[in-house]
């Protein structure tokens, strides 16, 4: 045998100590892909001359992309071409004219943090496998809890606001009837939760998923601005009790999806305290106003909530996804509710403080370090920089309102409370027509979907348009 030459180890026809991949080729591919991302995504992020989207219908796009997965691998050049095609035909959510959703823009610090976490590929369930990211999550949660106005609390990052809302609903039910964790639904009374008619659809999904049932979600009336009416909440609580049902939860909203409405939290908290109900606030969209001294008044009373959902990946641009569930309780209610005590993972006799093994507070096992990208942005900008980002979003929405008022053919639905600007575009053929049932019927038919100067507007259930914008500049809006 030649000195230094390895003896092949065969098991089931596989050479265990043979080459697994071409390391040099892989490193070169990553390097070239990063260059492509920098040139085609990052450097073009604020270029208004670029298209928001190179739109293609599904069947045509399927033909343009090589989606087939084959028995043999593709060449590096082909893979880079595929990367380029993916970028080319994808929606540029960092474009100044992207207005279709409640997130937009590119935060460079968050992007760098995401690249780091993708490269390290961590999972944050125990300190031993993810020491840095667990400490980062702890620091971010502590700061967010301070923003809510609590002296102490608990929390966990989840994959989106819908999951945070569902976890809060389950936590409220567990607090009301702890036996459900082991005995299940069979012995429970009919449980009722209350939320506004303008709430996020995740409330119904959560009720369905948790076995509560969508018929047991009572929708409270809202006023003309989309805010929950506390008097109707009180009325419906009494009604549920007269039906023999058991109320257990009220879900208020801070920043509704369409109108950007903020429910009156102080008044709702009074009702909840009178009836002994858990108060959850879905501040997935509106929670970012908490970092602004000027606008945090919109969430006045949020400190009285038992739990809060807040998505920094929306207005604060932390990158999808970044969603925290914050809980006022400090008695380990989260862990009691969700812990499965998996002894192969959460041993109690480790060589460090096992309270840092926070994964047992989550419904997930593998969990991404979503707090890290928000932490990096917060470190880079400071609280004052985040506040400036929020204040700019408000200022831009006010600017847009002024521009709408100047333009013929545009009708503002209402003065915005948040950064949601809701308006109608009136086609020339209807501008001389008197407003009435026939006018609104024709307007609804003609404006199911309309694209105006790069703004993607979408018709909502109330038959008006909602434009959400917080990452752009005046010349784009003018």
């Amino acid at each position: 045998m030649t000195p230094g030459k390895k003896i092949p180890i065969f098991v089931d026809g596989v050479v265990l100590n043979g080459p697994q991949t071409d390391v040099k080729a892989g490193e070169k591919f990553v390097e070239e892909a990063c260059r492509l991302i920098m040139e085609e995504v990052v450097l073009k992020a604020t270029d208004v001359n670029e298209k928001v989207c190179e739109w293609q219908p599904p069947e045509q796009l399927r033909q343009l992309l090589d989606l087939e997965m084959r028995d043999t691998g593709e060449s590096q050049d082909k893979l880079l071409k595929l990367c380029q095609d993916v970028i080319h035909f994808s929606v540029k959510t960092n474009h100044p004219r992207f207005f279709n959703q409640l997130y937009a823009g590119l935060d460079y610090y968050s992007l760098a943090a995401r690249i780091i976490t993708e490269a390290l590929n961590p999972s944050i369930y125990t300190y031993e496998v993810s020491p840095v990211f667990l400490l980062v999550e702890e620091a971010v949660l502590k700061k967010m809890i301070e923003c809510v106005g609590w002296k102490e609390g608990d929390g966990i990052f989840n994959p989106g606001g819908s999951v945070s809302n569902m976890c809060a609903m389950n936590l409220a039910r567990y607090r009301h009837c702890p036996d459900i964790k082991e005995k299940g639904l069979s012995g429970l009374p009919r449980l009722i939760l209350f939320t506004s008619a303008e709430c996020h659809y995740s409330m119904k999904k959560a009720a369905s998923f948790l076995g509560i049932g969508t018929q047991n979600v009572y929708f409270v009336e809202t006023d003309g601005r989309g805010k929950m009416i506390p008097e109707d909440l009180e009325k419906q609580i009494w009604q549920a009790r007269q039906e023999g049902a058991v109320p257990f939860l009220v879900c208020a909203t801070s920043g509704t999806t369409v109108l950007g409405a903020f429910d009156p939290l102080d008044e709702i908290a009074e009702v909840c305290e009178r009836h002994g109900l858990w108060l959850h606030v879905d501040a997935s969209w509106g929670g970012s106003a908490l970092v602004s001294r000027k606008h945090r008044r919109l969430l006045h009373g949020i400190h009285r909530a038992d739990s809060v959902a807040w998505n920094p990946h929306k207005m604060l641009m932390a990158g999808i996804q970044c969603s925290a569930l914050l809980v006022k309780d400090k008695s380990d209610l989260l862990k009691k509710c969700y812990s499965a005590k998996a002894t192969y993972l959460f041993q109690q006799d480790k060589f460090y403080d096992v309270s840092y093994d926070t994964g047992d507070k989550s419904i997930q096992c593998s969990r991404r370090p979503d707090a890290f990208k928000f932490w990096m942005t917060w470190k880079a900008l400071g609280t004052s920089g985040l506040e400036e980002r929020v204040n700019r979003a408000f200022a831009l929405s006010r600017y847009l309102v002024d521009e709408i008022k100047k333009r013929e053919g545009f009708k503002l639905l209402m003065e915005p409370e948040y950064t949601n600007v809701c308006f109608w575009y009136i086609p020339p053929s209807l501008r001389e027509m008197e407003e009435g049932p026939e006018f609104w019927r024709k307007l609804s038919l003609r404006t199911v979907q309309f694209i105006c100067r790069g703004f993607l507007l979408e018709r909502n259930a109330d038959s008006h348009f909602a434009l959400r914008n917080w990452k752009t500049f005046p010349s784009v809006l003018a």
Side-chain angles (χ1 to χ4, degrees), residues 297-312:
R297 56 180 172 73
L298 292 170
L299 297 101
H300 181 71
I302 196 170
H303 65 285
R304 301 176 69 177
D306 295 291
S307 57
V308 174
W310 176 3
N311 289 4

Side-chain angles (χ1 to χ4, degrees), residues 404 406-411 423-428 431 443:
I404 288 172
K406 296 175 188 176
R407 302 297 174 93
E408 183 182 4
F410 287 85
K411 179 181 177 63
F423 61 91
W424 281 98
Y425 172 72
I426 315 296
R431 289 177 191 172
L443 185 59

Side-chain angles (χ1 to χ4, degrees), residues 34-76:
C34 287
R35 179 191 58 77
L36 184 65
I37 293 167
M38 193 68 193
E39 292 176 358
E40 297 298 320
V41 180
V42 178
L43 296 180
K44 293 181 179 180
T46 57
D47 189 351
V48 294
N49 296 313
E50 294 289 327
K51 289 184 178 181
V52 176
C53 179
E54 190 67 53
W55 175 258
Q56 299 290 340
E59 290 304 321
Q60 194 168 336
L61 183 57
R62 190 176 285 110
Q63 293 175 8
L64 290 169
L65 297 173
D66 181 8
L67 299 175
E68 183 68 25
M69 289 160 285
R70 301 174 177 85
D71 291 339
T72 56
E74 310 279 2
S75 69
Q76 300 282 41

